[in-house]
Amino acid sequence: MQLQQFEYDNKIVRDFGLATIVWGLIGMSVGLLVALQLIWPEMNFLTQYTTFGRVRPVHTNAVIFAFVGNGIFMGVYYSMQRVLKSRMFSDMLGKIHFWGWQLIIVASAITLPLGLTSSHEYAEMEWPIDLAITIIWVVFGINMFGTIIKRRERHMYVAVWFYIATFVTIAVLHIVNSMQVPVSFWKSYYIYAGVQDALVQWWYGHNAVAFFLTTPYLGMMYYFLPKMANRPIYSYRLSILHFWSLIFIYIWAGPHHLLYTALPGWVQSLGVVFSVMLIAPSWGGMINGLLTLRGAWDKVRSEPTLKFMVVALTAYGMATFEGPLLSLKQVNAIAHFTDWIVAHVHVGALGWNGFMTFAILYWIVPRIYRTDLYSKKMANAHFWIGTLGILFYAIPMYWAAVVQGLMWKDFTPEGVLRHPNFLATTLEILPMHMMRAFGGALYLTGAIMMAFNLAKTMRKGQLLKNEKAEAPALDNAIHGEKYRHRRLERKPMLFMVLALIAIIIGGMVEMIPTFTMSSNVPSIPSVKPYTALEIQGRDLYIREGCVNCHSQTIRPFRSETARYGEYSKAGEFVYDHPFLWGSKRTGPDLQRIGGKYPHKWHLDHLLDPTITSPGSIMPAYPWLIEQEIDYSDLSKKLSVMRTLGVPYTDQQIQQALPEAKKQAEEIAEALRANQVEVDSDREIIAMIAYLQRLGTDIKVNTAPQATDN
């Protein structure tokens, strides 16, 4: 049989590898800064661009899309060429993909600290960046499928299945979740509102974890782990079962992020059921990986790459057990909004994604540079320091979560809250946050050691940009196959279509009834649209990232109604574009804050939180009293809102500016009555207007039907 000569492109792999290292160090450093700000808020350096609310999304997006994203592309470009026996379809598309992705990261790193955010978790970038992500993702897809089509290997290896599912699903998730109407070049509003927006966001948020942080890494595990261990994958049949059940079940589980909220009960129940079912396929992948090491465990003692892989798979198993556990309503009632969620996310991020990325970097770099790793001893030290970092990070967060959950729900024998002041809980867990920051510092130290080790490795060797390879031409003859799935692996387009069908079924079943049946979101006549000034204040609230610390949804528990007031109803949020229910309570819920305190209290709290809340870890916002309200797009904002279904009249839109100024002057006048001189055109006035509106449309039910667990 005649062999065809060709070359693998290692330069694109090297480029994504370098980007992975650089962005990893940056993203982790920002994460450490964020952790320190939850102990010492002055670590924001007293500037508006580095507060927790603005920097936290910089950290999450840098780690997810910059560190992990570049790591995915590094692993995919390396492994796909080799399992398909073909150079990537287009070197030019690879370069466009690489530089386009880096420009997206830089644009996000600039705009998010400036407060240009849509507020959707893990998707905070504004619409121009969302559009760029779409274009670059299509470029990646063309390059990937072009390579698959021109392959020299008839059957697509299991890693490629996961890459295909990743591409298709992320495309669908990103497009659906990014449906916005622009107000200006850097401002937009989501077309969804309230409950529907919450469902779309957590359908996206949960499955971004599933199909960006999980499926491509499973694909890389199926390629790199057998290579590292020099053992075939344990079970081909298990990989088939694992793949199809995982991509079908995962997509249904998003609503478990919204248990006990105003989301319709039947959708919550579906989320719980499929979350519990998800244990089986998730652990199927973990077991397939660990059993691949049968007969190779002696290598684990000496090979740092295998050490990282074993801990990565173990962390994956733990995280995918925790997810279903947290979806059980009895557990969720205590754990949600606590640091358990932080611990859960970081076990997956640090253990699964981080450690596997480190393993792949340690494996790829010496091979494409044709040399040995500079220091295996240093790599082993990195492993132990990183492992300690994960333990010092996660264990205190679990501890803090138990403290939080129990303190929030603790009543005296007389039936009153034992800790009515939310701040008491925050102060109680500060030592755990200090340990978390120490763990993060250890993990970052290990990553710095890796960067040094790999830099030395690169200097010692020389990059083999084009690696010579040979393989027989693709055999077009049709041979009998024992398994039907083997025949499916011959047809990449059909495979893609079937994967697409598998992932859209769950989303359609959950979303279509919620969007089309009015009974899912019953209206409340007393709920009115925000005034023009309140819209301005809400946009400032979003700009400052307040939703990162404060929720705006009260669950139907006795502990929450006693602390915050009447539990939240679906009809309250029909004019909220976007929803702001939050996912973590570092501070108290704000859904019923309106009218609870005078204007002066809010002004003092924003300018110096310790005046009203001694010991608070909330940063001060002095720029709100220095900066003028930007009214330039006010009428356009109301006009866009009307396009989205908010019932503003022509007169309200035309009179938006004078009405906003009139309301601002009323607030400023009330402050003057309390001997506080503030110009009515300052941002703090708009923020106060919004906060004072929250929850005031709902009449308090004197006997709320609340439960507690």
Side-chain angles (χ1 to χ4, degrees), residues 157-159 162-163 215-227 233 242 284-290 292 309 313 316 352 356 360:
Y157 180 62
V158 58
F162 282 97
Y163 301 158
T215 53
Y217 272 76
L218 286 168
M220 292 191 291
M221 180 273 287
Y222 273 109
Y223 175 81
F224 287 102
L225 184 62
K227 287 286 186 181
I233 202 70
H242 164 220
M286 177 191 69
I287 290 167
N288 215 4
L290 290 176
T292 298
M309 277 290 192
L313 284 165
Y316 173 65
W352 169 238
M356 187 173 289
I360 293 170

Side-chain angles (χ1 to χ4, degrees), residues 617-655:
I617 60 169
M618 174 178 158
Y621 293 87
W623 51 89
L624 293 178
I625 205 167
E626 299 164 0
Q627 295 174 176
E628 294 183 8
I629 303 170
D630 180 7
Y631 286 125
S632 58
D633 293 322
L634 185 55
S635 294
K636 182 72 179 296
K637 288 179 179 180
L638 269 63
S639 180
V640 169
M641 285 288 190
R642 183 167 69 174
T643 302
L644 298 174
V646 182
Y648 289 117
T649 64
D650 288 338
Q651 184 178 5
Q652 286 175 308
I653 294 173
Q654 293 164 5
Q655 295 297 312

Side-chain angles (χ1 to χ4, degrees), residues 301-577:
R301 287 194 295 271
S302 58
E303 292 299 323
T305 54
L306 287 176
K307 285 188 179 74
F308 280 108
M309 277 290 192
V310 168
V311 171
L313 284 165
T314 305
Y316 173 65
M318 181 174 175
T320 51
F321 172 76
E322 259 188 310
L325 178 66
L326 287 167
S327 74
L328 299 176
K329 284 199 165 186
Q330 293 82 351
V331 178
N332 185 276
I334 296 174
H336 195 56
F337 291 129
T338 72
D339 284 329
W340 191 339
I341 309 305
V342 180
H344 167 59
V345 168
H346 283 82
V347 165
L350 301 176
W352 169 238
N353 297 115
F355 267 32
M356 187 173 289
T357 303
F358 299 153
I360 293 170
L361 279 165
Y362 279 127
W363 197 84
I364 285 180
V365 169
R367 280 162 178 78
I368 64 175
Y369 276 84
R370 286 296 186 263
T371 187
D372 296 326
L373 185 65
Y374 172 72
S375 173
K376 189 179 288 188
K377 188 175 181 180
M378 190 181 294
N380 280 313
H382 172 201
F383 167 78
W384 290 111
I385 291 171
T387 302
L388 282 173
I390 294 172
L391 295 175
F392 270 103
Y393 190 110
I395 294 172
M397 288 294 95
Y398 290 124
W399 182 5
V402 173
V403 171
Q404 287 172 308
L406 295 180
M407 286 182 71
W408 291 348
K409 291 180 174 291
D410 193 12
F411 284 85
T412 67
E414 293 75 27
V416 297
L417 285 168
R418 191 179 300 277
H419 308 285
N421 187 352
F422 185 94
L423 187 57
T425 312
T426 305
L427 297 175
E428 189 72 23
I429 62 173
L430 279 181
M432 292 78 136
H433 278 247
M434 292 177 184
M435 284 190 277
R436 184 264 289 267
F438 176 68
L442 282 177
Y443 195 88
L444 175 60
T445 300
I448 293 171
M449 291 172 61
M450 178 197 70
F452 176 80
N453 201 355
L454 293 179
K456 284 288 191 179
T457 303
M458 292 174 187
R459 291 194 65 180
K460 189 171 72 164
Q462 186 173 4
L463 176 67
L464 183 64
K465 294 182 180 179
N466 299 294
E467 183 179 338
K468 296 186 183 300
E470 59 183 18
L474 185 65
D475 181 8
N476 291 314
I478 299 176
H479 303 288
E481 294 287 359
K482 183 178 179 181
Y483 301 113
R484 291 181 181 178
H485 200 273
R486 296 286 286 180
R487 294 199 291 270
L488 177 61
E489 292 165 33
R490 292 171 171 263
K491 303 171 181 177
M493 293 301 119
L494 177 59
F495 196 101
M496 180 189 71
V497 170
L498 292 176
L500 178 63
I501 292 171
I503 64 98
I504 62 174
I505 292 173
M508 291 176 65
V509 169
E510 289 173 346
M511 281 192 278
I512 289 176
T514 308
F515 277 74
T516 57
M517 296 171 62
S518 59
S519 60
N520 277 304
V521 187
S523 61
I524 301 174
S526 61
V527 174
K528 305 298 181 187
Y530 296 107
T531 66
L533 186 65
E534 289 160 2
I535 285 284
Q536 288 291 107
R538 193 171 199 270
D539 287 342
L540 291 172
Y541 183 96
I542 290 169
R543 183 191 77 184
E544 299 301 336
C546 302
V547 71
N548 287 294
C549 289
H550 296 282
S551 58
Q552 287 185 22
T553 181
I554 302 167
R555 300 179 294 175
F557 300 145
R558 178 186 168 210
S559 59
E560 297 209 9
T561 56
R563 187 185 302 275
Y564 302 120
E566 180 76 351
Y567 63 89
S568 301
K569 318 292 193 302
E572 291 185 63
F573 307 102
V574 292
Y575 303 131
D576 284 9
H577 298 268

Side-chain angles (χ1 to χ4, degrees), residues 43-76:
M43 288 295 293
N44 68 357
F45 311 114
L46 305 179
T47 75
Q48 62 180 308
Y49 307 110
T50 51
T51 58
F52 180 88
R54 296 203 195 184
V55 172
R56 189 258 182 180
V58 175
H59 163 61
T60 55
N61 285 283
V63 170
I64 294 171
F65 299 108
F67 171 58
V68 171
N70 279 297
I72 290 168
F73 300 135
M74 170 189 65
V76 167

Side-chain angles (χ1 to χ4, degrees), residues 252-266:
W252 295 76
H256 77 218
H257 291 264
L258 300 169
L259 298 183
Y260 294 112
T261 66
L263 190 73
W266 65 269

Side-chain angles (χ1 to χ4, degrees), residues 85-89 145-152:
K85 298 293 187 289
S86 174
R87 189 182 181 90
M88 291 304 296
F89 174 65
F145 281 99
T147 308
I148 292 172
I149 289 168
K150 74 168 193 174
R151 69 195 185 280
R152 292 181 177 82

